Amino acid sequence: MIPLLPKFLKEQETLTGASKGTAYHRLLELLDFTKERDEAILAKEIASYQTEGYLTEDMGACIFAKDILGFFETPIAKRAQQAAEQNLLFKEQPFVLGVDAKDVYGVAGGEEILLVQGIIDVYFEEDGELVVLDYKTDRVSRESELRERYHAQLDYYAKALEQLTGKTVKEKLIYSFALQRTIEV
């Protein structure tokens, strides 16, 4: 049984970690990677997205400017910016991928194909090859936690992109907002 919450109780809910991740992802989807920004410019962009209905008030309130600005100072963000300037940056790419069931479950079980679907946060082309970047807001203390948790996800992203584009994925990366660094997977 799932209890129904009255509207006044729903409005009092705070953003969870997953919701914070959604807010960060949404903002990064909306932001123009070719623009330089400081805290004041970012605050105006967030306010504008809230006014236009692209971000809720709660989403805007949970975004820390230092996190976003810190990301844009990283080498991977600079590379993504260069790709964006050449129209080679792609955000929020949905995909559906057929995967052999034995590859997922590790046991032989016939010829069954499973459909894996997802959305790739961002990828870009660089020197004729692709770089996949996934944003994570998980609270972790070690890079290895993110690698262990998400390596299969990024493998699927790479496989899907290679099938969709015919290009090789040369790097699979995670940007951790908690650790404030890029992690190779």
Side-chain angles (χ1 to χ4, degrees), residues 9-26:
L9 284 178
K10 286 183 184 176
E11 290 172 357
Q12 293 176 10
E13 290 181 47
T14 58
L15 286 175
T16 64
S19 303
K20 181 177 180 176
T22 300
Y24 276 54
H25 280 80
R26 182 71 174 135

Side-chain angles (χ1 to χ4, degrees), residues 85-164:
E85 289 168 353
Q86 300 169 39
N87 293 318
L88 296 174
L89 177 80
F90 307 93
K91 301 177 190 177
E92 299 300 314
Q93 173 67 53
F95 71 91
V96 176
L97 179 67
V99 179
D100 196 330
K102 71 177 180 243
D103 293 339
V104 175
Y105 295 109
V107 293
E111 301 297 317
E112 205 161 332
I113 298 293
L114 302 175
L115 290 181
V116 175
Q117 64 180 5
I119 299 176
I120 300 166
D121 292 344
V122 67
Y123 73 95
F124 57 90
E125 186 175 331
E126 185 178 71
D127 302 324
E129 296 178 303
L130 302 178
V131 176
V132 178
L133 176 61
D134 198 47
Y135 311 121
K136 297 297 179 194
T137 56
D138 305 36
R139 284 189 228 164
V140 293
S141 56
R142 295 182 327 275
E143 291 180 12
S144 61
E145 292 177 73
L146 292 171
R147 275 193 203 96
E148 289 166 17
R149 232 179 260 173
Y150 297 110
H151 73 89
Q153 178 184 351
L154 272 87
D155 288 345
Y156 290 136
Y157 289 178
K159 188 173 182 177
L161 281 174
E162 288 178 347
Q163 286 182 4
L164 284 168

